[in-house]
Amino acid sequence: MTTTAHANRPIVGVIGLGIMGSAMAANLVKAGFEVFGYDPVAASRQRLKKAGGHACKSVGEVAQHATHLLLSLPSEAALDQVCAELMATGLKGLIAAETSTLPEVCKQRNKTALAQHRITLLDCPLSGTGAQALTRDLAVYASGNAKAIRAMHAVFAGFARARYDVGDFGNGMRMKLVANLLVAIHNVSSAEAILMGARAGLDPATIVKVVADGAGGSRMLQVRGPMMVDRSWEDATMKVSTWQKDMALIQALLQATDTPAPLFAATQPIYNAAMAMGHGMNDTASVYDVLERLTQKAPRTKKRK
């Protein structure tokens, strides 16, 4: 296995080079880390090469070079597959920080399986959008083995502005779902506020600038407000279709904890409508389009004689 190439900096492997994974990998390269990465999509591997990283042909090849791994995966099936491939390498002592928003039970299942092969899995979901990932404006909610988390500190610092050690494995996902419940609400409320101001005759861009700097501001207004104003939701940093998965996880935790959440419940039809309107591949800022269309008068139907 390769030794560290930069003073006291581990070589990092990134498995999953989508919106979040590619941004993390690029920022780690900028921070001076040697980065090896894999994604089944050739274009994603090429993007890593352009950023200065090393593109690998398999999960196993990444693990041959790096003991400190970041997993950024789209589904439970993907996590199961990657963990199976890590176990098949026969390598010991790997630390893998799983950064995706996936069911806690899936992460726990793979943690147990990897432990039998002396591979440590951490539950470390991220707070932030793809756009925030590009500028290192992410927070890591790290949970699991404390020693392994300490070993990952420098890596987290290479792509995130903050790290919070939140305790036992699984607490990371629970904290992420708390954060995402607020994101769901703040995103829709930002769209409501901008639309009301625009219909009242205010300039939408000015609304975002002024309100974001006051008591009514939120990170979603700062991050997604400009996308709503510019109608640039085709450049997705969080696709509506992907967000539906997160919404389902939040709903499951609400039910499991018997938590009333009327504001969250009120946002669900808006995101469902975005899907129905063809915004599945667009950013969740497209909820603005949903609300805007609700203001349009429906055509009158002719009375039957």
Side-chain angles (χ1 to χ4, degrees):
M1 198 163 293
T2 311
T3 57
T4 181
H6 299 276
N8 300 318
R9 284 182 178 152
I11 293 176
V12 183
V14 181
I15 299 172
L17 298 169
I19 292 174
M20 299 297 286
S22 61
M24 289 189 289
N27 280 321
L28 284 165
V29 171
K30 291 177 184 177
F33 288 87
E34 187 169 8
V35 178
F36 290 81
Y38 169 72
D39 192 285
V41 178
S44 297
R45 298 195 300 272
Q46 187 61 34
R47 188 162 56 241
L48 175 62
K49 288 179 66 176
K50 289 182 179 179
H54 307 281
C56 297
K57 296 180 180 179
S58 68
V59 170
E61 185 180 350
V62 174
Q64 290 290 338
H65 291 283
T67 57
H68 295 60
L69 307 175
L70 296 171
L71 312 185
S72 182
L73 305 170
S75 66
E76 294 182 64
L79 179 58
D80 289 341
Q81 179 62 36
V82 166
C83 289
E85 292 183 37
L86 288 175
M87 290 184 283
T89 65
L91 298 170
K92 312 296 183 185
L94 301 174
I95 301 173
E98 212 304 303
T99 67
S100 309
T101 304
L102 297 172
E104 183 182 334
V105 64
C106 174
K107 294 194 180 190
Q108 183 65 57
R109 178 178 70 244
N110 282 290
K111 171 184 174 290
T112 300
L114 288 170
Q116 296 175 0
H117 294 260
R118 293 176 59 188
I119 298 173
T120 302
L121 184 69
L122 299 173
D123 171 36
C124 302
L126 308 173
S127 178
T129 67
Q132 289 173 280
L134 291 172
T135 59
R136 293 184 61 249
D137 186 19
L138 296 175
V140 180
Y141 298 153
S143 66
N145 183 280
K147 183 179 179 181
I149 290 174
R150 286 194 297 273
M152 293 291 290
H153 280 183
V155 176
F156 294 148
F159 69 84
R161 63 172 172 77
R163 182 203 74 253
Y164 297 97
D165 300 345
V166 295
D168 295 340
F169 189 97
N171 280 358
M173 268 305 305
R174 294 169 204 167
M175 194 69 74
K176 176 61 186 290
L177 295 181
V178 169
N180 275 6
L181 181 148
L182 289 169
V183 168
I185 296 167
H186 290 172
N187 187 51
V188 174
S189 65
S190 293
E192 286 184 357
I194 295 170
L195 182 59
M196 181 184 73
R199 289 174 63 78
L202 296 175
D203 173 61
T206 302
I207 294 170
V208 173
K209 179 181 178 181
V210 173
V211 177
D213 192 40
S218 70
R219 292 307 294 274
M220 285 302 97
L221 180 59
Q222 293 173 341
V223 172
R224 293 216 161 89
M227 300 177 73
M228 295 174 184
V229 171
D230 297 338
R231 313 181 73 82
S232 58
W233 42 72
E234 289 188 1
D235 300 322
T237 62
M238 168 56 74
K239 297 175 183 177
V240 176
S241 57
T242 301
W243 183 244
Q244 292 291 79
K245 166 183 65 78
D246 291 22
M247 295 282 284
L249 293 176
I250 295 168
Q251 185 61 44
L253 186 58
L254 288 169
Q255 291 177 337
T257 56
D258 294 325
T259 304
L263 294 180
F264 174 76
T267 70
Q268 290 175 305
I270 307 301
Y271 291 107
N272 290 341
M275 287 292 295
M277 288 167 53
H279 286 303
M281 299 303 290
N282 296 156
D283 192 89
T284 54
S286 59
V287 296
Y288 186 85
D289 190 38
V290 175
L291 297 181
E292 189 175 50
R293 292 197 192 191
L294 287 175
T295 67
Q296 299 171 0
K297 293 182 179 180
R300 293 181 179 179
T301 56
K302 293 182 179 180
K303 293 183 179 180
R304 293 182 180 179
K305 294 180 179 180

